[in-house]
Amino acid sequence: QVHLVESGGGMVQTGGSLRLSCTASGRTFSTYTMGWLSQSPGKEWYLVAAITNSGNTYYAGSVKGRFTISENGANNTVWLQMNNLKPEDTAVYYCAVTIGTNYYCLGNGCLALYDYWGQGTQVTVSS
C-alpha cells in the first residue's frame, strides 16, 4: 500500500503562483510514475504533469512553460510548481502513482491507470 499526502493548494489571483507537494510512504517500486491529475466541474480527468522514476517528465499542453514537476531524489516527495496561474487552472489537483511505464491518461481512464491517490487539494485562481 502507498499513502500519498498533498499540500499547498489555495486561492490566488491570475498570474500568481502556488507550489503543491506530495509525500509518499509505504511500499516502494522499481518502476513507477508520480503524476498530478486534475478534475474540475464539467470537465474530465486529465494528466497535468508526471515524472517517472528515471526523471522523465510530461506536461499537458495547457501548462507547459508554466508548471514544473520535480522530485526530491529519494523518490518520496514530488512537487508541482505552478506559475502564471490562470482561472482555467482552477480544479482539485490529485497526486497519484502508477506502477509501470505507462502514465498518460485522459478521462475516466486515469482512475483505472493510477493505482494510488492522494486526497486532493483545491486550487482556485480568481480573475
PDB file of all heavy atoms in Angstrom, residues 30-49:
ATOM      1  N   SER A  30      10.192  -0.383  -8.225  1.00  0.00           N
ATOM      2  CA  SER A  30      11.367  -0.072  -9.046  1.00  0.00           C
ATOM      3  C   SER A  30      10.980   0.757 -10.259  1.00  0.00           C
ATOM      4  O   SER A  30      11.774   1.568 -10.737  1.00  0.00           O
ATOM      5  CB  SER A  30      12.050  -1.363  -9.487  1.00  0.00           C
ATOM      6  OG  SER A  30      11.145  -2.173 -10.211  1.00  0.00           O
ATOM      7  N   THR A  31       9.793   0.591 -10.785  1.00  0.00           N
ATOM      8  CA  THR A  31       9.332   1.338 -11.953  1.00  0.00           C
ATOM      9  C   THR A  31       7.972   1.942 -11.640  1.00  0.00           C
ATOM     10  O   THR A  31       7.027   1.209 -11.355  1.00  0.00           O
ATOM     11  CB  THR A  31       9.225   0.426 -13.182  1.00  0.00           C
ATOM     12  OG1 THR A  31      10.483  -0.197 -13.425  1.00  0.00           O
ATOM     13  CG2 THR A  31       8.827   1.234 -14.417  1.00  0.00           C
ATOM     14  N   TYR A  32       7.896   3.259 -11.697  1.00  0.00           N
ATOM     15  CA  TYR A  32       6.655   3.932 -11.365  1.00  0.00           C
ATOM     16  C   TYR A  32       6.687   5.343 -11.928  1.00  0.00           C
ATOM     17  O   TYR A  32       7.738   5.846 -12.345  1.00  0.00           O
ATOM     18  CB  TYR A  32       6.463   4.003  -9.837  1.00  0.00           C
ATOM     19  CG  TYR A  32       7.541   4.803  -9.156  1.00  0.00           C
ATOM     20  CD1 TYR A  32       7.408   6.172  -8.968  1.00  0.00           C
ATOM     21  CD2 TYR A  32       8.718   4.181  -8.747  1.00  0.00           C
ATOM     22  CE1 TYR A  32       8.418   6.907  -8.391  1.00  0.00           C
ATOM     23  CE2 TYR A  32       9.732   4.914  -8.168  1.00  0.00           C
ATOM     24  CZ  TYR A  32       9.578   6.269  -7.983  1.00  0.00           C
ATOM     25  OH  TYR A  32      10.577   6.993  -7.415  1.00  0.00           O
ATOM     26  N   THR A  33       5.545   5.960 -11.931  1.00  0.00           N
ATOM     27  CA  THR A  33       5.418   7.367 -12.298  1.00  0.00           C
ATOM     28  C   THR A  33       4.535   8.059 -11.279  1.00  0.00           C
ATOM     29  O   THR A  33       3.498   7.518 -10.896  1.00  0.00           O
ATOM     30  CB  THR A  33       4.792   7.525 -13.692  1.00  0.00           C
ATOM     31  OG1 THR A  33       5.648   6.908 -14.663  1.00  0.00           O
ATOM     32  CG2 THR A  33       4.607   8.992 -14.043  1.00  0.00           C
ATOM     33  N   MET A  34       4.962   9.224 -10.863  1.00  0.00           N
ATOM     34  CA  MET A  34       4.141  10.054  -9.996  1.00  0.00           C
ATOM     35  C   MET A  34       3.552  11.173 -10.842  1.00  0.00           C
ATOM     36  O   MET A  34       4.262  11.829 -11.596  1.00  0.00           O
ATOM     37  CB  MET A  34       4.955  10.625  -8.842  1.00  0.00           C
ATOM     38  CG  MET A  34       5.480   9.551  -7.908  1.00  0.00           C
ATOM     39  SD  MET A  34       6.311  10.209  -6.448  1.00  0.00           S
ATOM     40  CE  MET A  34       4.893  10.720  -5.464  1.00  0.00           C
ATOM     41  N   GLY A  35       2.272  11.351 -10.700  1.00  0.00           N
ATOM     42  CA  GLY A  35       1.604  12.352 -11.524  1.00  0.00           C
ATOM     43  C   GLY A  35       0.716  13.264 -10.716  1.00  0.00           C
ATOM     44  O   GLY A  35       0.330  12.950  -9.595  1.00  0.00           O
ATOM     45  N   TRP A  36       0.433  14.406 -11.310  1.00  0.00           N
ATOM     46  CA  TRP A  36      -0.579  15.324 -10.796  1.00  0.00           C
ATOM     47  C   TRP A  36      -1.719  15.322 -11.806  1.00  0.00           C
ATOM     48  O   TRP A  36      -1.509  15.582 -12.991  1.00  0.00           O
ATOM     49  CB  TRP A  36      -0.026  16.728 -10.627  1.00  0.00           C
ATOM     50  CG  TRP A  36       0.927  16.875  -9.491  1.00  0.00           C
ATOM     51  CD1 TRP A  36       2.287  16.819  -9.543  1.00  0.00           C
ATOM     52  CD2 TRP A  36       0.585  17.088  -8.121  1.00  0.00           C
ATOM     53  NE1 TRP A  36       2.814  16.982  -8.294  1.00  0.00           N
ATOM     54  CE2 TRP A  36       1.798  17.153  -7.397  1.00  0.00           C
ATOM     55  CE3 TRP A  36      -0.619  17.248  -7.426  1.00  0.00           C
ATOM     56  CZ2 TRP A  36       1.838  17.364  -6.015  1.00  0.00           C
ATOM     57  CZ3 TRP A  36      -0.580  17.454  -6.061  1.00  0.00           C
ATOM     58  CH2 TRP A  36       0.637  17.512  -5.368  1.00  0.00           C
ATOM     59  N   LEU A  37      -2.885  15.001 -11.316  1.00  0.00           N
ATOM     60  CA  LEU A  37      -4.074  14.934 -12.157  1.00  0.00           C
ATOM     61  C   LEU A  37      -5.101  15.903 -11.609  1.00  0.00           C
ATOM     62  O   LEU A  37      -5.117  16.201 -10.419  1.00  0.00           O
ATOM     63  CB  LEU A  37      -4.645  13.527 -12.192  1.00  0.00           C
ATOM     64  CG  LEU A  37      -3.699  12.473 -12.791  1.00  0.00           C
ATOM     65  CD1 LEU A  37      -2.940  11.730 -11.696  1.00  0.00           C
ATOM     66  CD2 LEU A  37      -4.461  11.500 -13.663  1.00  0.00           C
ATOM     67  N   SER A  38      -5.960  16.383 -12.484  1.00  0.00           N
ATOM     68  CA  SER A  38      -6.960  17.329 -12.017  1.00  0.00           C
ATOM     69  C   SER A  38      -8.328  17.034 -12.595  1.00  0.00           C
ATOM     70  O   SER A  38      -8.471  16.376 -13.632  1.00  0.00           O
ATOM     71  CB  SER A  38      -6.557  18.767 -12.379  1.00  0.00           C
ATOM     72  OG  SER A  38      -6.771  19.022 -13.742  1.00  0.00           O
ATOM     73  N   GLN A  39      -9.292  17.500 -11.898  1.00  0.00           N
ATOM     74  CA  GLN A  39     -10.662  17.436 -12.353  1.00  0.00           C
ATOM     75  C   GLN A  39     -11.388  18.676 -11.856  1.00  0.00           C
ATOM     76  O   GLN A  39     -11.222  19.082 -10.707  1.00  0.00           O
ATOM     77  CB  GLN A  39     -11.375  16.182 -11.837  1.00  0.00           C
ATOM     78  CG  GLN A  39     -12.754  16.010 -12.437  1.00  0.00           C
ATOM     79  CD  GLN A  39     -13.542  14.912 -11.753  1.00  0.00           C
ATOM     80  OE1 GLN A  39     -13.482  14.746 -10.543  1.00  0.00           O
ATOM     81  NE2 GLN A  39     -14.296  14.167 -12.537  1.00  0.00           N
ATOM     82  N   SER A  40     -12.145  19.272 -12.719  1.00  0.00           N
ATOM     83  CA  SER A  40     -12.967  20.406 -12.317  1.00  0.00           C
ATOM     84  C   SER A  40     -14.388  20.143 -12.802  1.00  0.00           C
ATOM     85  O   SER A  40     -14.602  19.306 -13.680  1.00  0.00           O
ATOM     86  CB  SER A  40     -12.416  21.710 -12.901  1.00  0.00           C
ATOM     87  OG  SER A  40     -12.253  21.607 -14.289  1.00  0.00           O
ATOM     88  N   PRO A  41     -15.367  20.808 -12.211  1.00  0.00           N
ATOM     89  CA  PRO A  41     -16.767  20.537 -12.566  1.00  0.00           C
ATOM     90  C   PRO A  41     -17.022  20.648 -14.068  1.00  0.00           C
ATOM     91  O   PRO A  41     -16.625  21.622 -14.705  1.00  0.00           O
ATOM     92  CB  PRO A  41     -17.525  21.616 -11.795  1.00  0.00           C
ATOM     93  CG  PRO A  41     -16.665  21.904 -10.614  1.00  0.00           C
ATOM     94  CD  PRO A  41     -15.260  21.790 -11.129  1.00  0.00           C
ATOM     95  N   GLY A  42     -17.643  19.631 -14.593  1.00  0.00           N
ATOM     96  CA  GLY A  42     -17.986  19.626 -16.012  1.00  0.00           C
ATOM     97  C   GLY A  42     -16.861  19.225 -16.933  1.00  0.00           C
ATOM     98  O   GLY A  42     -17.048  19.165 -18.145  1.00  0.00           O
ATOM     99  N   LYS A  43     -15.717  18.952 -16.381  1.00  0.00           N
ATOM    100  CA  LYS A  43     -14.568  18.559 -17.193  1.00  0.00           C
ATOM    101  C   LYS A  43     -14.107  17.164 -16.803  1.00  0.00           C
ATOM    102  O   LYS A  43     -14.325  16.709 -15.696  1.00  0.00           O
ATOM    103  CB  LYS A  43     -13.424  19.559 -17.030  1.00  0.00           C
ATOM    104  CG  LYS A  43     -13.754  20.959 -17.512  1.00  0.00           C
ATOM    105  CD  LYS A  43     -12.555  21.868 -17.388  1.00  0.00           C
ATOM    106  CE  LYS A  43     -12.863  23.274 -17.886  1.00  0.00           C
ATOM    107  NZ  LYS A  43     -11.691  24.184 -17.749  1.00  0.00           N
ATOM    108  N   GLU A  44     -13.452  16.526 -17.742  1.00  0.00           N
ATOM    109  CA  GLU A  44     -12.979  15.181 -17.452  1.00  0.00           C
ATOM    110  C   GLU A  44     -11.606  15.229 -16.777  1.00  0.00           C
ATOM    111  O   GLU A  44     -10.913  16.239 -16.796  1.00  0.00           O
ATOM    112  CB  GLU A  44     -12.910  14.364 -18.747  1.00  0.00           C
ATOM    113  CG  GLU A  44     -12.009  14.940 -19.812  1.00  0.00           C
ATOM    114  CD  GLU A  44     -12.101  14.152 -21.103  1.00  0.00           C
ATOM    115  OE1 GLU A  44     -12.686  13.050 -21.126  1.00  0.00           O
ATOM    116  OE2 GLU A  44     -11.574  14.632 -22.120  1.00  0.00           O
ATOM    117  N   TRP A  45     -11.251  14.103 -16.207  1.00  0.00           N
ATOM    118  CA  TRP A  45      -9.930  13.973 -15.618  1.00  0.00           C
ATOM    119  C   TRP A  45      -8.862  14.169 -16.693  1.00  0.00           C
ATOM    120  O   TRP A  45      -9.018  13.712 -17.818  1.00  0.00           O
ATOM    121  CB  TRP A  45      -9.764  12.565 -15.056  1.00  0.00           C
ATOM    122  CG  TRP A  45     -10.531  12.302 -13.811  1.00  0.00           C
ATOM    123  CD1 TRP A  45     -11.757  11.728 -13.706  1.00  0.00           C
ATOM    124  CD2 TRP A  45     -10.094  12.580 -12.476  1.00  0.00           C
ATOM    125  NE1 TRP A  45     -12.116  11.640 -12.389  1.00  0.00           N
ATOM    126  CE2 TRP A  45     -11.120  12.150 -11.613  1.00  0.00           C
ATOM    127  CE3 TRP A  45      -8.933  13.135 -11.931  1.00  0.00           C
ATOM    128  CZ2 TRP A  45     -11.036  12.268 -10.223  1.00  0.00           C
ATOM    129  CZ3 TRP A  45      -8.840  13.258 -10.558  1.00  0.00           C
ATOM    130  CH2 TRP A  45      -9.880  12.825  -9.722  1.00  0.00           C
ATOM    131  N   TYR A  46      -7.793  14.846 -16.293  1.00  0.00           N
ATOM    132  CA  TYR A  46      -6.662  14.861 -17.204  1.00  0.00           C
ATOM    133  C   TYR A  46      -5.358  14.938 -16.432  1.00  0.00           C
ATOM    134  O   TYR A  46      -5.314  15.384 -15.285  1.00  0.00           O
ATOM    135  CB  TYR A  46      -6.780  15.975 -18.250  1.00  0.00           C
ATOM    136  CG  TYR A  46      -6.300  17.339 -17.835  1.00  0.00           C
ATOM    137  CD1 TYR A  46      -5.049  17.814 -18.240  1.00  0.00           C
ATOM    138  CD2 TYR A  46      -7.115  18.173 -17.084  1.00  0.00           C
ATOM    139  CE1 TYR A  46      -4.622  19.071 -17.894  1.00  0.00           C
ATOM    140  CE2 TYR A  46      -6.678  19.438 -16.727  1.00  0.00           C
ATOM    141  CZ  TYR A  46      -5.433  19.882 -17.145  1.00  0.00           C
ATOM    142  OH  TYR A  46      -5.004  21.140 -16.794  1.00  0.00           O
ATOM    143  N   LEU A  47      -4.320  14.444 -17.098  1.00  0.00           N
ATOM    144  CA  LEU A  47      -2.991  14.393 -16.516  1.00  0.00           C
ATOM    145  C   LEU A  47      -2.327  15.747 -16.725  1.00  0.00           C
ATOM    146  O   LEU A  47      -2.081  16.154 -17.855  1.00  0.00           O
ATOM    147  CB  LEU A  47      -2.167  13.289 -17.166  1.00  0.00           C
ATOM    148  CG  LEU A  47      -0.728  13.122 -16.663  1.00  0.00           C
ATOM    149  CD1 LEU A  47      -0.708  12.735 -15.199  1.00  0.00           C
ATOM    150  CD2 LEU A  47       0.003  12.091 -17.525  1.00  0.00           C
ATOM    151  N   VAL A  48      -2.029  16.433 -15.635  1.00  0.00           N
ATOM    152  CA  VAL A  48      -1.421  17.757 -15.718  1.00  0.00           C
ATOM    153  C   VAL A  48       0.077  17.632 -15.956  1.00  0.00           C
ATOM    154  O   VAL A  48       0.639  18.286 -16.831  1.00  0.00           O
ATOM    155  CB  VAL A  48      -1.695  18.547 -14.426  1.00  0.00           C
ATOM    156  CG1 VAL A  48      -1.002  19.904 -14.467  1.00  0.00           C
ATOM    157  CG2 VAL A  48      -3.190  18.713 -14.198  1.00  0.00           C
ATOM    158  N   ALA A  49       0.722  16.805 -15.152  1.00  0.00           N
ATOM    159  CA  ALA A  49       2.166  16.622 -15.256  1.00  0.00           C
ATOM    160  C   ALA A  49       2.523  15.295 -14.614  1.00  0.00           C
ATOM    161  O   ALA A  49       1.790  14.793 -13.751  1.00  0.00           O
ATOM    162  CB  ALA A  49       2.920  17.764 -14.576  1.00  0.00           C
TER     163      ALA A  49
END
